[in-house]
Amino acid sequence: MTNKIDPCTLVLFGASGNLARVKLYPGLFRLDLLGRLPDDLKIIGVGRQIVDLDAWRADIKSMLDTKFKKGYDQAVFERFIARNFYHANPPTDPDAFSKLKATLSDESVFPQNLAYFLSVRPVDFAPVVESLANVGLTQEDKYWRRVVIEKPFGTDLPSAKTLQAAITKHLKESQIYRIDHYLGKSALQNILLQRFTNTVLEPIWNNQYIDHVQITNTEMLGVGDRTQFYDSTGALRDMLQSHILQTLALTAMEQPKDLTPEGVRDAKIKLLEEIRPIPVSELEKHAFRAQYAAGNINGEQVPGYLDELGNKDSVVETYAALKLFIDNPRWKGVPFYIRTAKRLHEADTRISIRFKKAPLQINDQDQNWLIIGIQPRECIKLEVQSKIPGLDIQTRTIQLDAANRWESDDSVDAYEALLLNLMQGDNSNYLHISEAEAQWRLVDPVVKAWAEDKRPVHQYPAGSRDPLESKVIFEAEDQFWRYSIELGGDK
Ligand code: BG6
């Protein structure tokens, strides 16, 4: 299904920042290479520095050269570069937005449907919207006006509500595109399709057959040069509140009434609102946090989080795990364990579903797992018990393992997909305010309790598996963290 794109101008605030350089400009160029940009699309980068057009276009070329090391099609490059303009918005200039309006009003250059991408500091989201509105640049009459707000949308429920109140003075919900870049990943979009376009999955997707679900994102990377940002955020807010809860919503939601943006988002909102609040009085049975200590990643010695931060007193987690229950008939009694970590032994994002024990058990350990791999490998695996050929009655686990991605498939970056959706006016892969709020409502009490608890946080050596102590959140003795282990035997 492809949607038509109206002629439009993309206005990229924060155009020389890291996201724009690494994702947005290369992403737009890739869309141009794929022939997915309308002929009359224009892109205007907005930044604080004064840069002339030639220098700006040379800078864009350097962004593309860095990304596309093997070279690219020159004709498309010429077309792409001619789409690009620059506007300086120095913060000290009180007329900066009137000047932007004057620039954009040249209809012979800029199509009047305007999409603003705010790749700026979160504190600037509301002021930029307000300044655009003050000069009449958010008003929709003959033309549409859309605003992309980068993650995070607030840092807790009250700040999300404050931001929402500030921007909805000027924008309707349909004009607001809140990013969670995981929703731009094809592997996440596939969850919904794989669940509901196959007859075999839906009948077993409930508490009658499922013992528990694990949604996992682990990285081998550390916090890198983002120590200050990370220390004011932590794993729970950085990853679980957003990407992982969205993955859970897609995994557990009911079938949407249709695939329209409203249909999909309504189904997710309903699910997110059915997640039972985490009981803070019993937090230790429901939530676990830890920090990475010095260790070894791929044979290289790496420092611990506190050393990188230069503050031994921080209790901010680089590992967070939660146990959640969903209060609806489908999922009553089924724990959902969600976890994320930096510097674990493997970088892997997946959904692991363990089924209940079969009536006939040859080995105590026999279990069926269904694993949906999100990254690095996009796959679906089913583990089943099978007789070991021979004279004895013995079983072993075998895997039905299918790649969701074939070598010949296009690899589209999440931001490319989201930019295209933005121009198409399709916000199904962007967050509705009710999703953002439900997600904050769920994690806020844990964030608060953890911030107040100043006891030293559990440490795990970089490159290790989950800290053993994290098992306290399991409901049953026979539950354990599932890794992306390949089974032995013939492949
Ligand atoms: C970002 C987080 O939102 O997602 C980062 O701020 C994290 O800490 C990143 O590393 C992971 O994204 P991806 O697409 O690499 O899995």
Side-chain angles (χ1 to χ4, degrees):
M1 284 183 274
T2 48
N3 294 341
K4 169 182 157 297
I5 301 180
D6 298 321
C8 59
T9 301
L10 261 181
V11 187
L12 297 186
F13 284 86
S16 44
N18 198 46
L19 181 71
R21 305 188 77 83
V22 177
K23 296 281 184 189
L24 304 182
Y25 281 101
L28 287 163
F29 180 57
R30 279 248 316 152
L31 289 173
D32 212 355
L33 286 168
L34 296 171
R36 300 301 287 263
L37 296 185
D39 291 344
D40 33 16
L41 173 90
K42 294 288 165 29
I43 304 163
I44 180 160
V46 180
R48 290 159 173 246
Q49 314 296 334
I50 296 176
V51 183
D52 71 34
L53 184 57
D54 288 343
W56 178 240
R57 288 181 173 175
D59 198 10
I60 294 177
K61 181 173 182 312
S62 74
M63 300 176 202
L64 303 183
D65 290 344
T66 309
K67 185 82 177 188
F68 303 97
K69 294 229 161 50
K70 291 188 187 144
Y72 40 74
D73 183 311
Q74 277 308 306
V76 178
F77 171 74
E78 297 301 332
R79 180 172 76 203
F80 183 72
I81 213 72
R83 298 176 184 277
N84 276 281
F85 297 85
Y86 184 82
H87 182 83
N89 238 21
T92 47
D93 181 356
D95 299 322
F97 282 83
S98 308
K99 290 178 188 160
L100 177 63
K101 182 181 185 175
T103 305
L104 290 172
S105 66
D106 183 352
E107 293 192 30
S108 66
V109 181
F110 298 109
Q112 296 297 297
N113 293 305
L114 301 174
Y116 306 102
F117 198 115
L118 307 195
S119 174
V120 295
R121 295 176 309 167
V123 289
D124 291 328
F125 293 151
V128 172
V129 170
E130 170 130 29
S131 304
L132 287 169
N134 287 344
V135 295
L137 280 175
T138 53
Q139 209 172 320
E140 292 192 314
D141 34 53
K142 227 164 109 192
Y143 300 104
W144 52 252
R145 304 282 149 94
R146 299 174 187 149
V147 181
V148 178
I149 310 267
E150 250 301 331
K151 163 177 174 273
F153 193 87
T155 52
D156 55 14
L157 184 59
S159 59
K161 282 184 186 281
T162 306
L163 175 57
Q164 172 71 359
I167 64 177
T168 50
K169 278 194 210 139
H170 311 292
L171 301 169
K172 294 177 290 208
E173 179 64 25
S174 60
Q175 292 178 272
I176 306 171
Y177 286 64
R178 299 174 194 81
I179 283 218
D180 179 321
H181 80 274
Y182 267 49
L183 295 181
K185 292 181 192 263
S186 172
L188 250 80
Q189 296 165 7
N190 188 31
I191 299 171
L192 187 154
L193 295 183
Q194 213 144 40
R195 279 189 59 197
F196 296 115
T197 59
N198 290 298
T199 318
V200 290
L201 293 182
E202 186 55 15
I204 55 171
W205 214 258
N206 54 50
N207 58 1
Q208 199 185 336
Y209 294 100
I210 292 179
D211 176 81
H212 74 273
V213 179
Q214 297 184 17
I215 298 183
T216 308
N217 163 283
T218 58
E219 296 177 289
M220 293 171 83
L221 294 172
V223 297
D225 53 13
R226 297 199 304 164
T227 45
Q228 293 312 320
F229 157 79
Y230 201 85
D231 206 57
S232 62
T233 306
L236 182 52
R237 282 194 280 191
D238 185 39
M239 291 294 298
L240 285 194
Q241 185 273 346
S242 49
H243 312 321
I244 308 298
L245 282 179
Q246 280 294 315
T247 311
L248 184 151
L250 290 163
T251 307
M253 72 189 195
E254 297 300 316
Q255 180 169 344
K257 74 176 190 315
D258 53 35
L259 290 185
T260 58
E262 297 70 39
V264 176
R265 299 205 306 189
D266 285 355
K268 279 196 290 163
I269 294 167
K270 182 160 182 297
L271 188 282
L272 288 166
E273 292 180 346
E274 284 169 344
I275 302 176
R276 190 185 305 161
I278 298 163
V280 180
S281 57
E282 293 192 317
L283 194 60
E284 292 186 356
K285 290 192 200 149
H286 293 261
F288 182 85
R289 67 172 164 173
Q291 288 170 334
Y292 63 80
N296 198 295
I297 295 276
N298 287 337
E300 196 193 317
Q301 198 57 29
V302 294
Y305 175 66
L306 295 179
D307 290 328
E308 289 175 318
L309 183 67
N311 172 5
K312 297 277 179 221
D313 298 327
S314 171
V315 292
V316 169
E317 74 289 351
T318 61
Y319 175 107
L322 297 181
K323 173 172 61 192
L324 301 173
F325 288 96
I326 299 169
D327 285 328
N328 67 19
R330 184 194 285 267
W331 295 118
K332 191 164 185 288
V334 177
F336 281 71
Y337 300 110
I338 63 176
R339 78 195 203 276
T340 188
K342 300 245 181 236
R343 290 268 194 246
L344 228 61
H345 71 290
E346 64 179 355
D348 207 285
T349 304
R350 67 190 169 275
I351 302 156
S352 312
I353 297 172
R354 200 181 102 188
F355 290 92
K356 293 193 166 159
K357 287 199 167 163
L360 179 62
Q361 290 276 304
I362 304 294
N363 296 317
D364 254 10
Q365 314 302 332
D366 285 354
Q367 294 172 348
N368 295 129
W369 285 84
L370 178 77
I371 298 185
I372 299 181
I374 306 288
Q375 60 190 31
R377 192 158 168 257
E378 294 174 44
C379 61
I380 181 160
K381 291 187 196 190
L382 180 65
E383 291 180 357
V384 295
Q385 309 311 314
S386 173
K387 181 178 180 302
I388 303 176
L391 299 175
D392 303 318
I393 297 293
Q394 278 299 339
T395 55
R396 65 185 171 200
T397 305
I398 58 166
Q399 267 181 352
L400 314 177
D401 180 347
N404 277 330
R405 173 175 294 283
W406 297 350
E407 243 176 67
S408 55
D409 289 334
D410 259 346
S411 66
V412 175
D413 182 77
Y415 275 93
E416 291 164 32
L418 292 173
L419 283 163
L420 196 65
N421 289 161
L422 166 69
M423 292 182 269
Q424 291 166 331
D426 177 350
N427 56 7
S428 39
N429 291 321
Y430 286 87
L431 299 185
H432 188 273
I433 182 59
S434 304
E435 295 175 80
E437 289 190 0
Q439 291 170 189
W440 284 126
R441 199 170 291 117
L442 195 68
V443 304
D444 275 359
V446 183
V447 173
K448 185 161 173 281
W450 279 355
E452 285 166 1
D453 181 352
K454 300 292 181 202
R455 285 175 297 173
V457 173
H458 286 277
Q459 303 280 310
Y460 57 98
S464 63
R465 297 186 171 212
D466 298 70
L468 282 180
E469 298 85 346
S470 63
K471 290 186 179 162
V472 296
I473 70 170
F474 287 132
E475 281 289 287
E477 290 260 309
D478 69 345
Q479 293 173 345
F480 55 87
W481 291 123
R482 173 68 210 228
Y483 300 113
S484 62
I485 301 164
E486 301 290 339
L487 295 172
D490 286 336
K491 287 271 146 75

